[in-house]
């Protein structure tokens, strides 16, 4: 992997970044305590991260295409510039809260652009106590599923399998003429016309769906302060499935309804009225083929969904969410205003380079909050023999947005990471508690029915 052009969507994320809006994904992984020195874990992290080829790549500008950029191997790569240890004060009882607080602060800082765009922090407390690992990956490097595939390389089970199988040798590519045959030209042209037609349809949908006056609660559409606060919640996955079995739909429908209900309760506790027009969520959906290789970069689309905060009935909210998602799925992930990523994939590099300032302000005209679900491997994971207790994913905040909700199921629980603008949503912890309360309410209501 010597050089590889950034795909249009990857380039979009690279240019969308600003000091107040860093475009990196994150994950806070918490591990059970065990024997051994935390310094050994730090060395293990560095060794395994250095063995992942994608983490040795940095972005450089190229002459062609104009405005483009490419991934190239960093010849001065030093893994110790990316993997660091931070010792936290206090004992084991307060470790989780302190690690979460620090992770929020570290998520504020943009990644250094002259190096491979990622960082890992080993967060340790008292000797023999729990520890955590914070991973930051630039969105240009990966979408949620690709980030999981890259980050999973630090775990014992994935690293061990990679060592056992060794590196795969590239398959030889048969020689071919640089001049494509007539059938290839016709196929390429037909595919390109179909892609452009799809992009035009998405563009028209975006224009129709855009709002000159954002409708959501002011807390979700506040101006950016450049600060970040992180809160986490852990929901019982079996309870989510129990609700789904009674009401129908999917587990993700239940989680979206839990998010809507939690936002409603949180606003009422703040003394705010639920908005008369429901806020809109952007719900990313992968465009990767099931069972296929993750592949480089970003390959996703998204749905738009109105979160029914104005409805006081939890079961009615869930029904509204399920019907809204069914409509989205019937249309497909490459249609509708939510498929802005499909549109971005059709724009030339120069458009992303000079159009980024306009695109930064467009997000709040289309949606109010990001809600994403990122799957993890189903196997039990560990690091240096320390079992993974929880992994809370984190999504970036677009300009004009004050909250992003990311979820991942693992170990019988759904681990939720809430990333908020520190000034607009200083009480994000209360929202995290409201999510657990909302699921409990749904479980209670479905038991009666």
């Amino acid at each position: 992997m010597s050089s590889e052009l950034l795909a249009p969507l990857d380039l979009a994320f690279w240019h969308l970044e600003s000091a107040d809006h860093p475009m990196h994904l994150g994950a806070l992984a918490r591990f059970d305590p065990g024997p051994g020195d935390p310094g050994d874990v730090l060395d293990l992290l560095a060794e395994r991260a250095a063995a992942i080829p994608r983490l040795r790549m940095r972005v450089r500008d190229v002459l062609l295409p104009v405005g483009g950029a490419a991934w190239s191997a960093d010849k001065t790569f030093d893994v110790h510039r990316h993997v660091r240890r931070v010792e936290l004060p206090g004992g084991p009882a307060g470790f989780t809260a302190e690690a979460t607080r620090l992770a929020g602060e570290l998520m504020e800082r943009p990644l250094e652009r002259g190096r491979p765009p990622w960082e890992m922090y080993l967060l340790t407390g008292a000797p023999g106590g729990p520890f955590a690992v914070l991973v930051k990956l630039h969105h240009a490097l990966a979408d949620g599923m690709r980030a999981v595939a890259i980050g999973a390389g630090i775990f014992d089970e994935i690293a061990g399998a990679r060592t056992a199988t060794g590196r795969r040798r590239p398959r030889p590519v048969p020689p071919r003429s640089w001049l494509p045959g007539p059938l290839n030209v016709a196929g390429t042209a037909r595919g390109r016309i179909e892609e452009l037609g799809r992009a035009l349809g998405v563009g028209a949908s975006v224009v129709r769906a855009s709002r000159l006056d954002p409708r959501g609660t002011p807390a979700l559409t506040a101006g950016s302060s450049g600060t970040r606060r992180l809160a986490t919640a852990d929901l019982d996955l079996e309870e989510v499935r129990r609700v789904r079995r009674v009401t129908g739909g999917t587990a993700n429908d239940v989680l979206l309804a839990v998010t809507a209900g939690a936002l409603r309760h949180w606003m009422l506790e703040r003394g705010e009225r639920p908005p008369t027009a429901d806020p809109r969520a952007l719900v990313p959906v992968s465009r990767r083929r099931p069972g296929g290789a993750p592949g480089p970069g970003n390959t996703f689309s998204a749905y738009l969904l109105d979160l029914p905060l104005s409805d006081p009935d939890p079961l009615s909210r869930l029904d509204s969410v399920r019907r809204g998602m069914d409509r989205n799925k019937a249309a497909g992930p490459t249609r509708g205003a939510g498929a802005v990523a499909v549109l971005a994939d059709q724009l030339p590099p120069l458009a992303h380079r000079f159009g980024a300032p306009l695109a930064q302000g467009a997000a709040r005209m289309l949606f109010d909050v990001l809600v994403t679900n990122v799957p993890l491997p189903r196997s039990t994971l560990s690091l240096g023999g320390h079992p993974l207790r929880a992994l809370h994913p984190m999504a970036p905040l677009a300009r004009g947005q004050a909250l992003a909700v990311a979820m991942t199921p693992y170990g019988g629980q759904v681990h939720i990471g809430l990333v908020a603008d520190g000034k607009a949503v200083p009480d994000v912890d209360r929202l995290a508690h409201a999510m657990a309360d909302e699921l409990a309410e749904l479980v209670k209501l479905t038991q009666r029915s």
Side-chain angles (χ1 to χ4, degrees), residues 17 33 42 45-46 48 59-60 113 153 174 190 203 213 217 228 242 246 280 312 318 335 338 344 369 388:
E17 184 167 67
L42 184 68
L45 268 179
R48 290 179 177 172
V59 176
R60 62 175 180 83
R113 293 172 77 88
R190 185 167 54 249
D213 181 18
T217 172
R228 297 290 181 269
R242 192 180 308 154
V246 174
R280 187 182 288 169
L318 175 52
R335 298 177 183 273
V369 59
L388 175 65

Side-chain angles (χ1 to χ4, degrees), residues 274-298:
T276 53
D278 292 324
R280 187 182 288 169
L282 184 77
V283 184
V285 55
S286 176
R287 291 164 55 203
R288 302 183 191 277
R289 293 180 180 178
N298 288 267

Side-chain angles (χ1 to χ4, degrees), residues 256-257 259-260 263 277-281 305-310 321 369 371:
L256 286 166
T259 302
L263 285 169
D278 292 324
R280 187 182 288 169
L305 177 72
D306 288 342
L307 297 176
L309 270 65
S310 56
V321 165
V369 59
V371 185

Side-chain angles (χ1 to χ4, degrees), residues 213-239:
D213 181 18
R215 305 171 298 169
T217 172
L220 299 181
T221 55
S224 174
S225 66
T227 61
R228 297 290 181 269
R229 284 183 65 89
L230 171 67
T232 63
D234 299 298
L235 306 182
D236 189 311
L237 181 56
E238 181 53 36
E239 290 187 347

